[in-house]
Structures are given as structure tokens and as C-alpha cells.
Amino acid sequence: QRSLTTVGPVISSELTQQAILLVLIGSLGILAWMTFRFRDFRFGMTALAALIHDVIVVVGIFAILGTFLKIEVDALFVTALLTIVGFSVHDTIVVYDRIRENRARHAGENFSSIVNHSILQTLARSINPSLTVVFTLTALLLFAGSSIQTFILALLIGIVSGTYSSIFNAAPLLTVWEEWEERRRAAASGRP
């Protein structure tokens, strides 16, 4: 039995508003929890910046696909975005938790060195689960029905972007912020 579902401009506008609201509420919750968990506002803000990157990548790619291939977003797309945010924040927490542990173990060491060690220690832990999910999603994308292909494609793009951003966006942003704070504190105390 065939069915046709269309989304009108009113529903589309409402769906967009709900998606933005859900992502904002989720982001604020993640910011509050990460700040509480790591006892540092910078951890929460840099994790949030990485999450915003992931959402922008997925929405941007779907804007391009919508323009050229007429792919439409639906309620499953919002579900995919929220799933991506959860997956990405989990990866970021793994890296940040190792940074916190190494910071206590290697007190006095340069912060960028601590972050580098932490990333190297968690690299396999970040990449292996993501590769498993990517392989599964690729198989689903190739062999699943057309009703969930948009959802799976959004998840696939978001998982790859989330894994990348946890390692290459969140941790370097935290490092840059920490080094800026150290320079600011040194300047305020009159040290070179």
C-alpha cells in the first residue's frame, strides 16, 4: 500500500521551531551537566561548541542535499540531530575525563601536553565504537527501506562529524582557552 505524506509550510515552520528549541534545551542541559561534572565552565562551553559544530555540519549538508537532490527533513531528522548530540557529547566526555585524570596525575606539566596524551590514550576508545556504528549505518543506508534513509544518512554524517569534533575541535578549543587564561593570569601577576 502506497502513501504520500507532505509537509506544508506551516508544519515545516513549526517543525523547525521545535527542532531548534529541542536542540537549545539539550545544549543548555549538556552545558550545565558538563560544567558541574568537570567543575569548570570551559569544559562545558568547549563541548557545546563541538556539539554546535556537529549540528551545523548535518544541517548544512542537508541544506545542500535539499537544494540539489530535493531531500526533505522530517520529524525523524530532529530525532537524528538529538541522537547525534548525545553520541558526540559521550565521545567528548571520554576525552575530557581522561584530560581531568591526567591533569591530576601530571600536575605541573604543560596543559597542551596533557591534552595530547589524553587524546592519544582515548583515540582507539573514540574511533572503534564510531566505526562500528558507521559500518552498521552504512549497511542500513544501502539495504533499508526508503522511509528511514534520510534518518540514517543524518545519523551517518553526524556520527562521523561527532567523532571528529570530539578529538579535533573540543580538546583543541579547551587547550587554546586554557593557554589564553594562563597568559592572562601571568600578565595580571606581572610574570613574563
Side-chain angles (χ1 to χ4, degrees), residues 27-44:
S27 298
L28 290 175
I30 289 168
L31 174 65
W33 187 84
M34 295 274 294
T35 301
F36 172 75
R37 171 78 169 92
F38 293 103
R39 307 278 189 257
D40 193 342
F41 180 71
R42 294 174 294 185
F43 281 83

Side-chain angles (χ1 to χ4, degrees), residues 114-175:
I114 292 171
V115 170
N116 188 43
H117 296 310
S118 302
I119 289 173
L120 291 174
Q121 291 169 355
T122 59
L123 197 59
R125 166 62 187 83
S126 293
I127 291 178
N128 288 340
S130 297
L131 280 177
T132 304
V133 173
V134 165
F135 291 148
T136 305
L137 289 174
T138 302
L140 283 172
L141 186 64
L142 296 174
F143 302 114
S146 62
S147 61
I148 62 169
Q149 280 185 333
T150 303
F151 173 70
I152 293 169
L153 181 61
L155 279 178
L156 187 60
I157 294 166
I159 296 300
V160 171
S161 174
T163 303
Y164 169 85
S165 71
S166 296
I167 298 167
F168 298 109
N169 288 348
L173 282 173
L174 182 63
T175 302

Side-chain angles (χ1 to χ4, degrees), residues 35-110:
T35 301
F36 172 75
R37 171 78 169 92
F38 293 103
R39 307 278 189 257
D40 193 342
F41 180 71
R42 294 174 294 185
F43 281 83
M45 281 304 294
T46 54
L48 187 60
L51 294 179
I52 291 170
H53 166 269
D54 299 336
V55 170
I56 288 173
V57 165
V58 174
V59 170
I61 289 175
F62 268 80
I64 293 168
L65 292 175
T67 301
F68 294 111
L69 301 178
K70 306 298 183 218
I71 292 179
E72 296 180 3
V73 298
D74 53 8
L76 280 177
F77 181 77
V78 176
T79 306
L81 283 180
L82 293 173
T83 304
I84 291 162
V85 165
F87 196 90
S88 178
V89 78
H90 180 267
D91 264 358
T92 306
I93 287 170
V94 168
V95 174
Y96 281 3
D97 200 39
R98 186 55 58 101
I99 290 170
R100 186 176 50 88
E101 290 171 4
N102 285 340
R103 200 175 194 185
R105 281 187 201 141
H106 305 285
E109 191 174 336
N110 187 358

